[in-house]
Amino acid sequence: MSCDHMTAQSCKVQGVFMSVSEVGAAPTVVLDAGGDSTIPIYVGLWEAISISNALNSEMLPRPITHDLIVELFRNFEIILDALHIDSLEEGVFYAKLLLRQGSRTEVMDCRPSDGIAIALRYRAPIMIEDTVVESAAVKKDDLPRMVDLKDYL
């Protein structure tokens, strides 16, 4: 496969969990990578709560940052075509928002956690590069103990 032609697959967010191990607990977003493969992405607690709210269609009384961004997009007729998780370097995932307004397109760098929180609210596809899936996929059985975020908090 040539490097200039990368391919990505669509993935779903399985859930938001606290990954519990001897060293402590870490908020984790688990993406479904097809079959029995998952991709755990460790995120900040606030991003985890925001993603969990979006998954459960829970709106807070006041808009949080991710709600505000989506509202801005909608009010200025900016279309979010997709979130693209495109690389993994030294354990850190990188992502981009693919945006369109009329005939203009923009690609904006973002943290995957923010991108996922925004894409879920916008109902935009979450795409992940095949090379990232190959290097980051973990079999469901090999994940650390996962406790649903809501149960943990």
Side-chain angles (χ1 to χ4, degrees), residues 102-138:
S103 61
R104 178 180 170 195
T105 60
E106 288 288 336
V107 175
M108 292 182 74
D109 189 28
C110 72
R111 297 184 307 173
S113 56
D114 291 325
I116 291 167
I118 293 165
L120 286 171
R121 284 170 169 76
Y122 205 98
R123 297 196 180 353
I126 298 170
M127 306 299 292
I128 188 158
E129 244 351 286
D130 291 346
T131 53
V132 175
V133 174
E134 285 161 25
S135 54
V138 175

Side-chain angles (χ1 to χ4, degrees), residues 2-147:
S2 67
C3 291
D4 55 275
H5 185 69
M6 299 167 84
T7 55
Q9 64 187 56
S10 180
C11 66
K12 294 261 179 280
V13 177
Q14 245 176 25
V16 184
F17 304 93
M18 287 302 273
S19 166
V20 183
S21 68
E22 312 77 60
V23 291
T28 309
V29 176
V30 177
L31 301 179
D32 194 331
D36 66 346
S37 292
T38 61
I39 296 172
I41 300 180
Y42 299 98
V43 300
L45 182 59
W46 293 112
E47 291 79 11
I49 291 167
S50 175
I51 291 166
S52 177
N53 287 347
L55 275 177
N56 298 304
S57 302
E58 290 174 12
M59 286 294 287
L60 297 168
R62 306 290 320 274
I64 62 169
T65 309
H66 299 123
D67 299 319
L68 183 64
I69 290 168
V70 169
E71 200 60 24
L72 270 169
F73 286 177
R74 293 207 163 115
N75 288 345
F76 286 94
E77 295 175 13
I78 297 168
I79 293 161
L80 174 57
D81 283 327
L83 169 70
H84 194 148
I85 300 171
D86 58 357
S87 70
L88 173 61
E89 293 164 38
E90 293 171 18
V92 178
F93 289 89
Y94 291 86
K96 294 179 175 54
L97 292 171
L98 308 182
L99 301 165
R100 185 165 42 92
Q101 185 186 41
S103 61
R104 178 180 170 195
T105 60
E106 288 288 336
V107 175
M108 292 182 74
D109 189 28
C110 72
R111 297 184 307 173
S113 56
D114 291 325
I116 291 167
I118 293 165
L120 286 171
R121 284 170 169 76
Y122 205 98
R123 297 196 180 353
I126 298 170
M127 306 299 292
I128 188 158
E129 244 351 286
D130 291 346
T131 53
V132 175
V133 174
E134 285 161 25
S135 54
V138 175
K139 291 206 179 327
K140 287 183 181 122
D141 297 343
D142 296 338
L143 285 171
R145 190 165 79 86
M146 295 283 175
V147 178

